[in-house]
């Protein structure tokens, strides 16, 4: 893709509506997006450039160049180019496949259809053809094509609702509203086509919550903010249609500005492998130098005696130059020490594991038909090495579905269930729920088991009525009726929805609102309140209030918010009620409920008018506007009269308690991020069993600066110093991704050590074709099969014993110590493979009386022994056999013999005599019994020490994984596994607080009247999920783990 002119950096953007010619002079990008990296022309050069940034690839390319120099090359060029081409090709295919799917996704998005106003009529246009300045029509449930300035909508005052889940993960609907001057355009195509406003705004940026600009139209200027903008990635909801003007398109949209370039991430195993490869390379250099020095010495002392026989001219080759050439020759010969194919094996294994993750039925969520998805194939093994989990609270640990459970009104708790003896009980199933059938507008999903509240309402308790009146009036909920006449609430936060719904079921029904009024139905009677002021919520106030005038002319301030905030603003006469209500709040919080305090204040008419005048002046101020408004809010929200408190339940999601417990047993540290206050955070910790009653040293860090936090941590460490803290061993299914890389390194190390030299100049032990095919044909598939399919412990036992996860965290399965053990094993095996055949062949005749100690027979014997030893070693390392493992392991041996006899055949020698000189050798050597006896002896001598070492280690120092494997084998022979009984959970006994979950700004929107709507389809309602009691489950799990481990240590005589 070429550009004729480089675009200059934008400082501000100027866009004119319905004028493509005007906007083209600024060279704004179109709406086409590109997330792909390559195209047909650039793929090969760019991909090769990326691949040869890897040290291993550059190294083998350098070797290839060296092999083209006859003076130093003792191996033909194909021994290097074949594996190098294979590695590069496989990686290129993988990269091309990934990029193909990116192209496919881009094309799918770019070819979406949108209605664009062109030549005074709406035309269907592909997204990629949309230009800056175009006016687009969106319909309900449609994705937004670009960043738009909202002009008009089907709702009054240009209101529209959007879902921003693709941008910020929030599923609650957000409100956007158009300028009044543009909302009048409506759906009139002729008027929209004549709209020629000019927008001057900020340059493209990635700030999702900020937008500044000015619209100039008809000689007037109108300020623009984020509330007027609909961003690409949003979905239009509950709005029939809307029109918008494109401000940012394609890569300039805020969504694409946030995407950025994907950073390449390396795993800890990658970093360790790179370190080990560098060590191997350093070892190779040192070995080459030592051998080169030896060659120089030999040439100087002995080599001169052979010059006459080799017809070398005097001075043609001195000892130093000979050593220099020999150094490079050894670098070429010993190149297999550097495991290039290891990288390919690791990539293929990661790809296979990513498919396993995608196909895992146990990670499939049927509720939304959502499977697990591995978005990257490069980080899979990190799942077996996790030490910390950071989690949000609301919507992650909890369902974010609020249910009204209890309340305290005037010192009395409503919502508790008592037995016949008057004792509080949680046995709600034996208690009949309060019937709301007399209320046709009641929400049937709400269950309330305390009939005393309904009795108090019917008896006309004024405090109870006032309490419910606050719930019905003090909120930002929007109401509407669906086609069936049912009342539907559009809520900005689930907390408000729960409280308004509870008031509705109890007879105080919020019906509708206008910018000046709120209408509710109080026990069958419609009552309209005049809305005088709306004191909105924000994160600092942690409360919200409304000031209304009732039909009797009284002015009331109704407030709700966090108890710690409202209690500070109560009138002194509330002291006794405050004490009682605080106790109730502690009880609610101990049950894991989220709490809010409810209060009110009677206002004098004269006082309110003076206060309201000051509020109007503050709103019109330019300097310190927010501070002045906040001060006025503080002034009027004082001397409140306490009514009581509410308690709503935000249930933990199904399986949270069990999951947190398993993670804790696996020695994974969990951090939960929440915007709630300290009490809530502590309670959530106890509810999730992150904190337990057995923990005596729970400490709180409350510092506000780095210095304060550091000091508090230091003190906490001093308090905990010296305590014995035991953590369980841990491992899950993903843990197997670590030993698989170790096994690959074993193979590569052994392979490198097998590249031994017969003499110091030009001859290798193995046939050159064997060197070429060993890693890519003879031994690659068994390693891949073990790495992808093997499991030391089955998935159920891994979940039952989370302590198995710990070796992965501590890198016990793949580390430098293990690597050096592998190196020692490789050296030992190399010596056995060389010296046993060498000793057996020394001065020995074959069965036919001919001498068999020739180089070709020796090479075939060693190569055959090597393939069999490696295959047997893989078989011993495999814990979980599948048909694929069998085919790959034994099939590799069969493949070796097939290729061996083919390459040693007369036919292939007749076609390529120089490339296949070992004609007839395989048939001659492998038909003699003594050769097979040597192969058997070599195999046994190579494998037996490993078998003996592992037997003694498992018997004398068994790991938890070893013990569970023995238990699995014993269970298979003894009896089938027992099924666990379903368990129930208990509630925590800790105090909870509540920080009002709401967004700032909706109060201003309500009083402006711009969110008053006509009709909307009903929203879908979520299903409540049942919860499991955790304590007995945890106790059983811990007991099961303890009993299992104990049984292992006690029962050493299990016959397997």
């Amino acid at each position: 893709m070429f550009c004729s002119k480089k675009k200059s950096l934008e400082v501000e953007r100027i866009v004119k509506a319905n004028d493509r010619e005007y906007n083209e002079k600024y060279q704004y990008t179109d709406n086409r997006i590109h997330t792909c990296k390559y195209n047909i022309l650039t793929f090969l050069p760019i991909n090769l450039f990326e691949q040869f940034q890897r040290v291993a690839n550059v190294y083998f390319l350098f070797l290839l160049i060296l092999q083209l120099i006859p003076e130093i090359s003792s191996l033909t060029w194909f021994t290097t180019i074949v594996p190098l081409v294979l590695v590069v090709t496989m990686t290129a295919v993988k990269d091309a496949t990934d990029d193909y799917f990116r192209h496919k996704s881009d094309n799918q998005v770019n070819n979406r259809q949108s209605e664009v106003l062109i030549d005074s009529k709406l035309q269907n246009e592909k997204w990629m053809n949309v230009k800056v300045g175009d006016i687009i029509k969106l319909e309900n449930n449609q994705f937004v094509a670009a960043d738009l300035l909202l002009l008009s909508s089907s709702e009054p005052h240009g209101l529209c609702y959007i879902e921003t889940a693709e941008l910020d993960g929030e599923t609650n609907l957000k409100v956007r509203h158009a300028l009044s001057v543009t909302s009048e355009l409506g759906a009139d195509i002729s008027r929209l086509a004549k709209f020629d406003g000019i927008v001057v705004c900020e340059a493209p940026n990635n700030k999702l919550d900020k937008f500044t600009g000015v619209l100039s139209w008809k000689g007037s200027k109108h300020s623009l903010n984020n509330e007027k903008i609909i961003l690409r990635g949003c979905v239009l909801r509950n709005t029939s249609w809307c029109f918008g003007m494109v401000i940012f398109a394609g890569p300039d949209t805020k969504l694409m500005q946030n995407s950025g370039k994907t950073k390449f991430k390396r795993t800890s195993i990658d970093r360790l492998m790179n370190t080990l490869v560098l060590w191997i390379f350093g070892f190779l250099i040192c070995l080459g130098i030592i051998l080169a020095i030896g060659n120089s010495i030999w040439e100087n002392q002995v080599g001169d005696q052979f010059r006459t026989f080799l017809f070398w001219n005097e001075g043609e080759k001195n000892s130093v130059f000979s050593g220099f050439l020999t150094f490079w020759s050894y670098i070429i010969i010993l190149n297999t020490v550097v495991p290039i194919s290891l990288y390919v094996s690791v990539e293929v294994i990661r790809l296979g594991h990513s498919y396993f993750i995608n196909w895992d039925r146990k990670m499939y969520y049927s509720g939304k038909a959502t499977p697990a998805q591995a978005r990257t194939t490069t980080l899979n093994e990190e799942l077996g090495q996790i030490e910390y989990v950071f989690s949000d609270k609301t919507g992650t640990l909890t369902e974010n579905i609020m249910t009204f459970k209890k309340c305290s009104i005037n010192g009395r708790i409503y919502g508790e269930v008592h037995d016949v003896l008057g004792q509080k009980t949680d046995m709600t199933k034996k208690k009949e729920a309060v019937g709301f059938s007399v209320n046709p507008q009641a929400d049937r999903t709400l269950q309330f088991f305390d009939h005393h509240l309904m009795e108090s309402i019917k008896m006309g308790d004024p405090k109870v009525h006032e309490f419910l009146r606050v719930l019905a009036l003090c909120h930002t909920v929007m109401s509407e009726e669906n086609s069936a006449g049912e009342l539907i609430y559009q809520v900005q936060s689930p907390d408000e929805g729960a409280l308004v719904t509870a008031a509705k079921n109890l007879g105080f029904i919020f019906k509708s609102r206008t910018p000046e009024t709120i209408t509710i139905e109080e026990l069958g009677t419609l009552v309209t309140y005049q809305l005088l002021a709306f004191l909105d919520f924000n994160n600092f106030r942690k409360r919200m209030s409304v000031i209304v005038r009732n039909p009797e002319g009284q002015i009331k301030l109704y407030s709700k918010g966090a108890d710690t905030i409202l209690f500070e603003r109560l009138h002194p006469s509330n002291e006794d009620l405050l004490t009682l209500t605080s106790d109730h709040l502690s009880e609610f919080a101990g049950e894991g409920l989220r709490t809010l305090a409810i209060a009110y204040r009677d206002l004098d008419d004269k006082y309110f008018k003076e206060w309201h005048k000051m509020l109007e002046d503050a709103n019109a101020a330019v300097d310190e506007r927010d501070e002045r408004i906040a001060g006025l809010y503080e002034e009027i929200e004082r001397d409140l009269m306490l009514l009581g408190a509410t308690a709503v339940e935000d249930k933990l999601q199904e399986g949270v308690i069990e999951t947190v417990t398993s993670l804790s047993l696996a020695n994974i540290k969990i951090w939960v991020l929440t915007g709630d206050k300290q009490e809530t955070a502590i309670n959530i910790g106890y509810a999730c069993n992150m904190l337990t009653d057995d923990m005596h040293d729970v400490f709180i860090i409350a510092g506000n600066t780095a210095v304060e936090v550091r000091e508090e941590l230091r003190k906490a460490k001093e308090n905990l110093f010296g305590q014995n803290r035991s953590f369980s061993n841990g491992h899950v299914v993903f843990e197997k991704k670590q030993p698989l890389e170790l096994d690959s390194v074993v193979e590569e190390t052994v392979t490198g050590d097998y590249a031994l030299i017969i003499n110091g100049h030009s001859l290798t032990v193995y046939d050159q074709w064997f060197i070429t095919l060993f890693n890519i044909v003879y031994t690659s598939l068994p390693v891949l099969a073990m790495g992808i399919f093997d499991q030391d412990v089955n998935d159920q036992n891994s979940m039952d014993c989370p302590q198995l996860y710990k070796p992965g965290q501590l890198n016990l399965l793949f580390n430098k110590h293990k690597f050096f053990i592998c190196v020692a094993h490789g050296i030992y095996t190399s010596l056995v493979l060389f010296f046993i055949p060498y000793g057996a062949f020394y001065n020995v005749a074959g069965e036919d009386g001919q001498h068999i100690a020739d180089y070709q027979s020796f090479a075939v014997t060693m190569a055959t022994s090597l393939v069999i030893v490696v295959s047997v070693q893989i078989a011993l390392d495999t814990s979980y056999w599948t048909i694929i493992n069998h085919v790959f392991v034994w099939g590799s041996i069969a493949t070796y013999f097939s290729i061996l006899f083919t390459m040693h055949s007369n036919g292939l020698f007749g076609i390529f005599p120089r490339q296949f000189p070992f004609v007839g050798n395989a048939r001659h050597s492998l038909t003699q019994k003594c050769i097979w006896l040597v192969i058997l002896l070599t195999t046994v001598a190579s494998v037996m020490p490993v078998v003996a070492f592992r037997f003694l280690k498992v018997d004398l120092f068994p790991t938890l994984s070893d013990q569970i494997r023995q238990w699995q084998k014993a269970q298979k022979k003894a009896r089938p596994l027992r099924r666990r009984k379903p368990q129930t959970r208990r509630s925590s006994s800790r105090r909870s607080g509540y920080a009002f979950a709401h967004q700032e700004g909706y109060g201003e929107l309500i009083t402006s009247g711009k969110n008053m709507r006509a009709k909307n389809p009903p929203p879908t309602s979520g299903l409540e999920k049942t919860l499991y009691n955790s304590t007995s489950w945890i106790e059983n799990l811990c007991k099961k783990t303890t009993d299992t481990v104990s049984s292992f240590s006690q029962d050493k005589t299990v016959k397997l």
Side-chain angles (χ1 to χ4, degrees):
M1 185 175 295
F2 301 93
C3 296
S4 58
K5 187 177 179 181
K6 186 177 180 180
K7 181 182 174 183
S8 59
L9 183 65
E10 281 191 65
V11 178
E12 65 177 9
R13 172 156 294 201
I14 303 175
V15 182
K16 186 175 182 180
N18 291 315
D19 196 337
R20 288 189 173 185
E21 183 178 354
Y22 175 88
N23 296 320
E24 282 177 359
K25 67 182 182 181
Y26 295 103
Q27 298 181 346
Y28 296 138
T29 59
D30 58 20
N31 205 37
R32 186 192 303 268
I33 63 168
H34 299 276
T35 61
C36 51
K37 296 173 60 178
Y38 319 104
N39 58 39
I40 296 178
L41 296 178
T42 63
F43 173 75
L44 193 59
I46 294 179
N47 189 260
L48 288 177
F49 175 76
E50 291 175 343
Q51 291 203 55
F52 280 97
Q53 288 182 327
R54 297 176 179 173
V55 177
N57 289 350
V58 174
Y59 166 71
F60 278 90
L61 180 61
F62 176 67
L63 279 182
L64 178 61
I65 296 173
L66 291 179
Q67 286 177 307
L68 298 177
I69 304 174
E71 287 79 6
I72 63 175
S73 177
S74 56
L75 296 175
T76 55
W77 55 269
F78 60 78
T79 59
T80 297
I81 198 172
V82 171
L84 179 62
V85 168
L86 180 66
V87 169
V88 172
T89 301
M90 292 186 65
T91 304
V93 170
K94 175 180 174 293
D95 293 341
T97 302
D98 291 342
D99 207 57
Y100 166 75
F101 287 110
R102 285 191 287 265
H103 272 283
K104 188 175 180 180
S105 176
D106 290 347
N107 290 332
Q108 181 182 2
V109 173
N110 290 331
N111 287 288
R112 287 177 179 172
Q113 296 291 319
S114 185
E115 290 185 279
V116 182
L117 186 58
I118 302 176
D119 297 331
S120 300
K121 59 182 178 181
L122 288 174
Q123 300 180 14
N124 283 332
E125 192 69 81
K126 295 180 179 179
W127 275 25
M128 61 183 177
N129 296 327
V130 171
K131 305 290 185 182
V132 171
D134 287 351
I135 292 180
I136 297 178
K137 180 183 179 181
L138 298 175
E139 295 184 346
N140 192 36
N141 297 326
Q142 186 176 355
F143 276 96
V144 180
D147 290 355
L148 308 177
L149 169 63
L150 180 62
L151 298 178
S152 61
S153 75
S154 58
E155 305 305 311
H157 306 286
L159 175 82
C160 76
Y161 285 85
I162 58 172
E163 180 185 287
T164 60
E166 293 289 330
L167 298 177
D168 55 17
E170 294 289 339
T171 56
N172 296 330
L173 299 184
K174 309 293 192 304
V175 180
R176 296 292 183 266
H177 54 92
L179 292 168
S180 57
V181 293
T182 60
S183 64
E184 298 172 355
L185 298 174
D188 191 333
I189 300 301
S190 60
R191 295 181 64 187
L192 287 166
K194 295 177 182 178
F195 177 69
D196 59 353
I198 297 178
V199 173
V200 179
C201 66
E202 60 189 20
N205 60 76
N206 62 355
K207 297 178 181 178
L208 298 175
D209 58 349
K210 181 182 178 183
F211 180 85
T212 57
V214 176
L215 170 64
S216 300
W217 187 42
K218 292 184 178 180
S220 300
K221 292 186 177 182
H222 310 275
S223 62
L224 304 175
N225 56 31
N226 201 50
E227 301 301 317
K228 311 295 190 299
I229 301 296
I230 307 178
L231 301 181
R232 178 180 182 133
C234 298
V235 181
L236 190 67
R237 298 293 191 196
N238 297 341
T239 306
S240 299
W241 53 262
C242 75
F243 285 87
M245 170 185 170
V246 178
I247 304 297
F248 301 122
D252 290 340
T253 59
K254 292 182 181 288
L255 175 64
M256 298 304 296
Q257 289 281 312
N258 275 279
S259 60
K261 291 185 178 181
T262 303
K263 293 183 179 179
F264 182 73
K265 299 179 180 179
R266 290 191 180 275
T267 65
S268 57
I269 286 182
D270 279 333
R271 292 190 292 270
L272 180 56
M273 283 198 306
N274 287 340
T275 301
L276 298 181
V277 168
L278 289 176
W279 287 3
I280 293 172
F281 182 72
F283 168 76
L284 176 61
I285 297 296
C286 293
L287 191 60
I289 292 174
I290 293 172
L291 293 174
I293 294 174
N295 176 265
S296 297
I297 296 173
W298 182 89
E299 285 285 352
N300 185 52
Q301 297 179 357
V302 182
D304 289 340
Q305 302 174 15
F306 294 90
R307 291 181 183 274
T308 303
F309 303 102
L310 297 177
F311 304 102
W312 287 357
N313 296 325
E314 187 67 27
E316 180 179 337
K317 187 176 182 182
N318 59 46
S319 60
V320 175
F321 185 67
S322 175
F324 173 76
L325 296 179
T326 302
F327 169 80
W328 294 111
S329 180
Y330 277 120
I331 293 298
I332 295 172
I333 293 173
L334 298 174
N335 73 82
T336 51
V337 172
V338 180
I340 184 175
S341 60
L342 172 64
Y343 290 95
V344 181
S345 301
V346 170
E347 289 297 327
V348 174
I349 291 170
R350 286 169 173 167
L351 182 63
H353 285 150
S354 66
Y355 279 106
F356 280 169
I357 293 173
N358 295 343
W359 295 338
D360 197 325
R361 292 184 178 180
K362 293 184 179 180
M363 290 194 288
Y364 176 79
Y365 178 49
S366 58
K368 293 187 176 180
T370 304
Q373 184 176 5
R375 297 183 181 273
T376 178
T377 60
T378 59
L379 302 174
N380 291 343
E381 67 268 19
E382 294 288 278
L383 294 174
Q385 299 177 290
I386 295 171
E387 295 185 62
Y388 297 92
V389 170
F390 292 84
S391 173
D392 189 18
K393 187 203 71 174
T394 305
T396 302
L397 296 182
T398 63
E399 294 180 338
N400 201 23
I401 301 175
M402 310 299 176
T403 306
F404 181 80
K405 286 296 182 181
K406 296 182 179 181
C407 60
S408 170
I409 305 176
N410 198 28
R412 179 177 179 180
I413 293 181
Y414 296 95
E416 291 181 344
V417 181
H418 297 82
D419 57 20
V420 293
L421 300 177
Q423 300 296 321
K424 189 175 75 169
T425 178
D426 291 329
M427 300 170 61
T428 55
K429 293 183 179 179
K430 297 182 180 181
K431 185 76 174 180
E432 183 181 356
V434 175
F436 299 116
S437 57
V438 295
N439 183 355
Q441 298 286 358
D443 185 347
R444 300 290 183 264
T445 62
L446 177 63
Q447 289 189 316
F448 198 76
F449 294 90
D450 189 353
H451 294 260
H452 295 99
L453 181 56
M454 291 300 298
E455 295 173 0
S456 298
I457 295 172
K458 293 177 181 178
M459 294 174 59
D461 188 325
K463 294 293 185 180
V464 173
H465 284 201
E466 191 77 344
F467 181 90
L468 297 175
R469 191 174 291 115
V470 175
L471 300 186
L473 291 172
C474 187
H475 54 76
T476 61
V477 175
M478 301 296 299
S479 65
E480 60 186 5
E481 289 188 0
N482 60 12
S483 57
E486 298 175 343
L487 197 59
I488 304 299
Y489 290 148
Q490 292 289 347
V491 300
Q492 305 297 336
S493 72
D495 309 271
E496 285 200 326
L499 298 180
V500 175
T501 300
K504 178 177 70 172
N505 280 31
L506 295 170
F508 286 72
I509 306 171
F510 167 63
K511 300 290 289 186
S512 63
R513 68 163 75 244
T514 70
E516 296 84 20
T517 63
I518 300 176
T519 300
I520 65 175
E521 180 180 327
E522 299 182 359
L523 301 177
T525 304
L526 282 178
V527 181
T528 299
Y529 291 82
Q530 183 182 356
L531 180 59
L532 302 178
F534 198 105
L535 284 60
D536 205 357
F537 166 87
N538 64 37
N539 291 327
F540 298 100
R541 287 167 41 76
K542 296 183 180 180
R543 64 189 183 278
M544 66 178 298
S545 304
V546 294
I547 301 176
V548 298
R549 189 190 301 272
N550 61 22
E552 290 76 26
Q554 297 173 323
I555 299 178
K556 298 270 191 178
L557 181 145
Y558 294 128
S559 185
K560 67 179 180 184
D563 53 298
T564 54
I565 300 298
L566 283 190
F567 286 174
E568 295 174 354
R569 290 160 177 79
L570 295 179
H571 191 275
S573 60
N574 291 268
E575 184 176 352
D576 294 338
L577 180 58
L578 171 60
T579 302
L580 192 56
T581 305
S582 296
D583 293 339
H584 294 168
L585 285 170
S586 299
E587 182 179 335
F588 296 158
E591 298 171 8
L593 304 178
R594 297 161 60 103
T595 58
L596 272 180
I598 306 296
Y600 76 98
R601 179 186 178 187
D602 293 321
L603 297 177
D604 179 76
D605 196 356
K606 180 180 179 181
Y607 169 75
F608 172 75
K609 288 180 179 180
E610 294 176 353
W611 177 87
H612 194 264
K613 179 63 171 62
M614 290 188 290
L615 180 63
E616 291 177 344
D617 294 339
N619 281 319
V622 177
D623 298 329
E624 299 182 348
R625 174 180 178 273
D626 293 339
E627 291 78 3
R628 292 176 61 181
I629 292 175
L632 290 171
Y633 285 178
E634 289 284 342
E635 179 184 332
I636 202 168
E637 290 175 322
R638 57 182 176 82
D639 293 336
L640 301 177
M641 302 300 295
L642 181 62
L643 284 171
T646 61
V648 299
E649 180 182 37
D650 184 11
K651 293 183 178 179
L652 293 175
Q653 296 207 44
E654 182 178 346
V656 165
I657 297 175
E658 294 88 341
T659 301
V660 169
T661 304
S662 295
L663 294 177
S664 299
L665 291 174
N667 196 33
I668 295 177
K669 293 81 175 175
I670 306 171
W671 292 66
V672 175
L673 311 178
T674 175
D676 291 334
K677 61 179 184 177
Q678 178 177 300
E679 291 86 349
T680 305
I682 294 174
N683 173 256
I684 289 297
Y686 280 100
C688 297
N689 282 296
M690 291 171 56
L691 304 175
T692 65
D693 294 333
D694 296 332
M695 295 181 179
H696 304 296
D697 296 299
V698 177
F699 56 91
I700 297 170
I701 304 299
N704 295 318
T705 65
V707 176
E708 293 176 357
V709 171
R710 190 178 295 112
E711 179 62 22
E712 292 187 30
L713 286 174
R714 186 189 62 79
K715 292 179 179 179
K717 184 178 180 180
E718 290 178 354
N719 293 333
L720 295 174
F721 183 78
Q723 295 182 3
N724 293 323
R725 304 179 67 182
S726 61
F727 298 99
S728 12
N729 295 325
H731 143 139
V732 292
V733 177
F734 296 111
E735 177 269 333
K736 279 309 298 177
K737 293 179 177 56
Q738 297 172 76
L740 63 90
E741 270 84 8
L742 180 59
D743 294 322
S744 300
V745 173
V746 172
E747 291 309 313
E748 298 296 343
T749 304
V750 170
T751 303
D753 288 325
Y754 291 147
L756 298 178
I757 311 304
I758 289 289
N759 60 54
H761 288 281
S762 62
L763 195 61
T764 59
V765 172
Y766 301 117
D767 172 25
Q768 297 182 16
W769 282 105
F770 179 82
I771 296 174
T772 303
L773 298 176
F774 181 81
N775 278 331
I776 61 179
V777 176
Y778 299 151
T779 60
S780 60
L781 293 181
V783 172
L784 294 179
M786 188 187 69
I788 293 176
F789 298 105
D790 198 32
Q791 48 179 275
D792 55 350
V793 176
N794 64 42
D795 57 345
Q796 186 58 56
N797 286 331
S798 295
M799 297 297 294
D800 289 345
C801 192
Q803 295 89 337
L804 287 167
Y805 192 80
K806 190 175 181 180
Q809 293 175 322
L810 301 178
N811 291 319
L812 300 180
L813 304 167
F814 181 45
N815 50 48
K816 296 172 184 177
H817 175 71
K818 294 281 187 182
F819 169 74
F820 285 112
I821 292 178
C822 292
V823 171
H825 177 211
I827 293 174
Y828 166 78
T829 308
S830 297
L831 296 175
V832 170
L833 284 169
F834 179 81
F835 284 104
I836 288 182
Y838 180 80
F841 282 12
Y842 187 77
N843 200 24
V844 174
E847 297 172 8
D848 54 0
Q850 298 180 2
H851 200 276
I852 63 172
D854 62 280
Y855 159 65
Q856 293 184 345
S857 298
F858 182 73
V860 169
T861 303
M862 277 193 64
T864 304
S865 301
L866 171 58
V867 172
I868 293 176
V869 166
V870 169
S871 299
V872 172
Q873 186 69 52
I874 285 289
L876 292 175
D877 289 335
T878 301
S879 302
Y880 184 79
W881 283 90
T882 66
I883 186 63
I884 297 178
N885 292 82
H886 283 289
V887 171
F888 283 2
V889 172
W890 315 125
S892 294
I893 298 178
T895 301
Y896 163 73
F897 284 109
S898 300
I899 296 177
L900 178 67
F901 282 104
T902 301
M903 290 193 302
H904 291 197
S905 65
N906 295 333
L908 203 57
F909 173 77
I911 301 174
F912 306 104
R914 298 187 62 182
Q915 282 74 26
F916 300 97
F918 282 34
V919 57
N921 184 267
R923 183 174 62 255
H924 174 265
S925 300
L926 297 179
T927 55
Q928 302 190 49
K929 296 178 182 178
C930 61
I931 297 293
W932 284 105
L933 287 175
V934 171
I935 293 173
L936 177 61
L937 177 61
T938 303
T939 303
V940 172
S942 299
V943 172
M944 281 306 296
V946 177
V947 174
F949 173 78
R950 292 186 180 180
F951 174 80
L952 293 175
K953 182 176 179 295
V954 170
D955 188 63
L956 300 177
F957 307 102
T959 64
L960 185 59
S961 179
D962 296 331
Q963 295 170 338
I964 293 182
R965 274 201 302 271
Q966 295 179 25
W967 180 76
Q968 286 179 178
K969 293 177 182 178
Q971 289 297 98
K972 284 183 179 180
K973 294 183 178 181
R975 60 186 181 277
L977 293 174
R978 297 178 179 177
R979 293 184 178 180
R980 290 185 298 173
K981 297 181 180 180
Q983 305 293 336
T984 56
R985 60 170 281 208
R986 69 169 176 84
S987 60
S988 174
S989 61
R990 300 293 171 177
R991 167 73 192 272
S992 169
Y994 175 63
F996 195 22
H998 200 280
Q999 289 183 327
E1000 183 178 3
Y1002 291 106
E1004 181 181 352
L1005 186 61
I1006 287 173
T1007 55
S1008 69
K1010 294 178 179 178
N1011 62 335
M1012 306 306 154
R1013 12 187 347 215
K1015 295 182 178 179
N1016 268 342
T1020 57
S1021 59
L1023 297 176
E1024 294 195 4
K1025 301 179 178 68
T1026 59
L1027 294 174
Y1028 295 97
N1029 196 315
S1030 64
T1031 301
S1032 56
W1033 183 91
I1034 298 163
E1035 291 173 351
N1036 289 340
L1037 176 60
C1038 297
K1039 183 177 184 297
K1040 178 189 296 184
T1041 303
T1042 305
D1043 292 345
T1044 300
V1045 177
S1046 299
S1047 66
F1048 293 153
S1049 59
Q1050 294 172 3
D1051 189 7
K1052 291 290 185 179
T1053 60
V1054 176
K1055 294 183 179 180
L1056 303 179

